[in-house]
């Protein structure tokens, strides 16, 4: 059976791409401006056409040409276009929000929807876009969609990843749109409630119905089976080592071996399950280690302001940090609830619902922001499932397994990655490497 096809704009490392694949889509093209992100996406999704350019500089015709180069039908009807265009929401005095240069990428996302004419689209943004004067942007976006021949599901919703089986509190706004004449999708129903958190009194669901919703996986469920990276001297100068993992929780088991997970329609990947990957150690000072030890789980360490994970709750929101143009703040990885150190990239990936076969760059500088910038795959799967249902498609599990790309893709510096894709290494403002 032919799987529906999707195009991922602002794809990053591929969290949403993976979630859509798990829902039953073939993601046939990914547009991403950062060449290091492109290299990681190419490694994990070798059958997907990667276009390393800003969405502002790409046309629908060029995306279709890239599909043809990958052996796909250039004129095939695209089922879904998705992406999270960065925008600030505020308008310049006397101008529409969509005309504000700071929101240009959102306008280009809508332009690509218009040019590609998919059956459906999903647009993601921070939850703050649904508050106060930021809502003007959403009103204008919905009006623009109507002018293009697309209806948007209203009221729009902010979804928490912890309500979709992810052990992390992460709220994001999603707009779901359908081409005129097609049925509107429904927002996915929550399948869990955040572990360790009391439901808000203002929650739409009653306490009775909330009690019937199982708790999300906990932090311990996510990373409790991963051996302490500090026990492996070899992880001081490399990010992977042979290691025996502990007894997994049900959640961890599905990330170690997704092949038997119900509702997961992704292609299987060839990988070595005996290799602990993305686990390069961090050298903390003795003073930092002492402060980390004193901090109680679920609280912030007072000097660094890093959050110490509560093993029986969900993680705080994993963030990406900021580029040099906005302060050069590195992404603050939380403190492990056990060993007095920040979590590894693999542990962060587990908290984000990435399976163990998914690889990140061999340095922490890129892996942390890639995770923090991405849609958790399980949340992406829930959204993709809603679109699959609207399409009237019955998803099936592929029998073919994918061999990931060349491991050298994971070691590329910005300079080398830029050269690979023929772009300037200055295309993305870089963070200062501040420990």
């Amino acid at each position: 059976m032919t799987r529906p096809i999707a195009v991922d704009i602002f794809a990053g490392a591929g969290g949403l791409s993976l979630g859509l694949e798990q829902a039953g889509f073939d993601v046939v093209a990914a547009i991403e401006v950062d060449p290091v992100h492109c290299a990681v996406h190419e490694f994990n999704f070798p059958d997907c056409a990667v276009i390393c350019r800003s969405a502002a500089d790409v046309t629908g015709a060029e995306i279709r040409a890239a599909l043809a180069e990958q052996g796909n039908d250039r004129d095939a009807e695209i089922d879904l276009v998705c992406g999270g265009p960065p925008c600030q929401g505020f308008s310049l005095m006397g101008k529409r929000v969509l005309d504000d240069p700071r929101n240009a990428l959102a306008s280009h996302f809508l332009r690509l929807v218009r040019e590609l004419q998919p059956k459906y689209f999903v647009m993601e943004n921070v939850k703050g876009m649904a508050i106060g004067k930021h809502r003007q942007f959403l009103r204008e976006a919905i009006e623009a969609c109507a002018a293009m021949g697309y209806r948007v599901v209203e009221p729009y919703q902010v979804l928490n990843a912890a309500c979709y089986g992810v052990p992390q509190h992460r709220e994001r706004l999603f707009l779901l749109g359908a081409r005129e004449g097609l049925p509107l999708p429904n927002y996915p129903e929550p399948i869990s409630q955040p572990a360790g958190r009391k439901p808000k009194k203002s929650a739409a669901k009653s306490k009775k119905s909330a009690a019937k919703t199982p708790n999300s996986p906990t932090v311990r469920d996510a990373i409790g089976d991963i051996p302490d990276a500090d026990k492996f001297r070899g992880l001081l100068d490399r990010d992977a080592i042979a290691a025996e993992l502990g007894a997994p929780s049900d959640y961890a088991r599905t990330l170690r071996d997704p092949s038997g997970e119900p509702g997961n329609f992704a292609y299987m990947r060839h990988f070595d399950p005996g290799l602990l990957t993305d686990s390069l150690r961090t050298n903390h000072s003795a003073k930092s280690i002492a402060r980390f030890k004193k901090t109680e789980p679920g609280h912030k360490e007072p000097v660094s302001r890093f959050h110490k994970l509560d093993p029986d709750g969900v993680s705080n929101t994993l963030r990406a940090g900021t580029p040099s143009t906005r302060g050069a703040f590195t992404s603050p990885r939380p403190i492990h609830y056990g060993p007095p150190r920040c979590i590894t990239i693999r542990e962060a990936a587990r908290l984000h619902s990435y399976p163990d076969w998914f690889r990140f760059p061999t340095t922490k500088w890129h892996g942390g922001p890639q995770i923090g910038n991405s849609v958790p795959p399980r949340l992406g799967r829930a959204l993709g499932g809603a679109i699959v249902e609207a399409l009237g498609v019955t998803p099936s599990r592929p029998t073919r397994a994918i061999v990931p790309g060349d491991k050298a893709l994971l070691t590329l510096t910005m300079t080398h990655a830029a050269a690979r894709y023929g772009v300037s290494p200055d295309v993305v403002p870089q963070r200062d490497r501040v420990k």
Side-chain angles (χ1 to χ4, degrees), residues 42-390:
E42 182 181 344
F43 175 85
N44 289 295
F45 304 95
D47 296 339
C48 177
V50 176
I51 301 174
C52 189
R53 285 156 62 191
S54 168
D57 302 323
V58 178
T59 66
E62 289 172 319
I63 293 173
R64 288 194 175 278
L67 299 186
E69 290 178 6
Q70 290 287 98
N72 296 295
D73 182 359
R74 180 190 184 112
D75 299 318
E77 187 168 32
I78 294 171
D79 296 287
L80 174 65
V81 167
C82 63
C87 56
Q88 292 179 287
F90 294 110
S91 63
L92 295 174
M93 188 66 66
K95 292 188 177 182
R96 292 193 320 145
V97 177
L98 282 176
D99 293 332
D100 188 327
R102 293 169 293 181
N103 300 325
L105 290 175
S107 294
H108 284 293
F109 175 84
L110 295 177
R111 172 184 58 79
L112 288 171
V113 170
R114 185 182 71 247
E115 293 176 4
L116 292 171
Q117 285 292 298
K119 294 178 181 177
Y120 293 91
F121 75 81
V122 173
M123 187 167 76
E124 177 248 359
N125 219 295
V126 296
K127 71 170 185 175
M129 296 302 295
I131 300 172
K133 57 186 173 182
H134 292 287
R135 286 179 292 186
Q136 182 186 347
F137 166 82
L138 296 178
R139 288 194 297 270
E140 292 184 13
I142 292 171
E143 290 171 1
C145 290
M148 290 164 26
Y150 282 83
R151 296 182 296 154
V152 173
V153 180
E154 295 188 78
Y156 44 77
Q157 291 187 22
V158 172
L159 306 182
N160 186 349
C163 295
Y164 298 92
V166 180
Q168 180 187 158
H169 176 81
R170 187 183 186 87
E171 294 179 309
R172 289 294 185 270
L173 167 73
F174 291 91
L175 291 185
L176 311 183
R179 200 169 64 202
E180 286 288 354
L182 295 174
L184 283 173
N186 296 309
Y187 279 93
E189 289 292 328
I191 62 171
S192 60
Q193 57 182 332
R197 294 194 177 207
K198 294 180 180 180
K200 294 180 180 179
K201 292 182 180 179
S202 59
K205 284 194 170 186
S206 67
K207 291 183 179 180
K208 183 177 180 180
S209 61
K212 296 179 181 178
T213 306
N215 284 337
S216 68
T218 65
V219 168
R220 195 195 312 271
D221 290 334
I223 65 176
D225 64 316
I226 299 178
D228 181 10
D230 284 356
K231 303 293 185 184
F232 298 88
R233 189 173 184 81
L235 291 176
L236 284 169
D237 55 12
R238 62 181 186 273
D239 79 323
I241 199 166
E244 184 175 347
L245 276 66
S249 66
D250 290 342
Y251 172 78
R253 186 176 293 109
T254 64
L255 299 184
R256 284 162 61 163
D257 179 15
S259 61
E261 183 186 8
N264 186 341
F265 303 102
Y267 295 87
M268 293 300 101
R269 272 27 176 220
H270 292 284
F271 81 110
D272 182 356
L275 200 62
L276 177 63
T277 61
D278 297 297
S279 296
L280 185 67
R281 288 170 53 179
T282 299
N283 286 316
H284 295 297
S285 68
K287 288 183 178 180
S288 293
I289 292 172
R291 294 199 309 266
F292 292 172
K293 284 182 178 179
K294 289 181 180 179
T295 305
E296 291 294 320
H299 293 78
K300 284 186 177 181
E301 192 280 305
V303 175
S304 67
R305 304 297 294 167
F306 290 176
H307 177 83
K308 187 167 185 177
L309 296 170
D310 176 358
D312 299 316
V314 295
S315 169
N316 58 315
T317 303
L318 301 181
R319 302 189 184 279
T322 62
S324 58
T325 53
R326 295 176 56 203
F329 296 107
T330 54
S331 53
R333 286 174 291 133
I335 303 167
H336 200 292
Y337 61 83
R341 58 169 175 80
C342 288
I343 60 172
T344 63
I345 297 301
R346 175 53 54 198
E347 289 162 343
R350 285 280 193 92
L351 294 172
H352 220 68
S353 75
Y354 280 100
D356 287 0
W357 61 257
F358 199 101
R359 295 293 301 273
F360 295 91
T362 53
T363 68
K364 299 185 294 291
W365 307 113
H366 293 294
Q370 286 179 352
I371 293 171
N373 263 329
S374 66
V375 174
R378 281 198 173 193
L379 177 54
R381 186 199 308 182
L383 288 159
I387 305 301
V388 164
E389 184 177 353

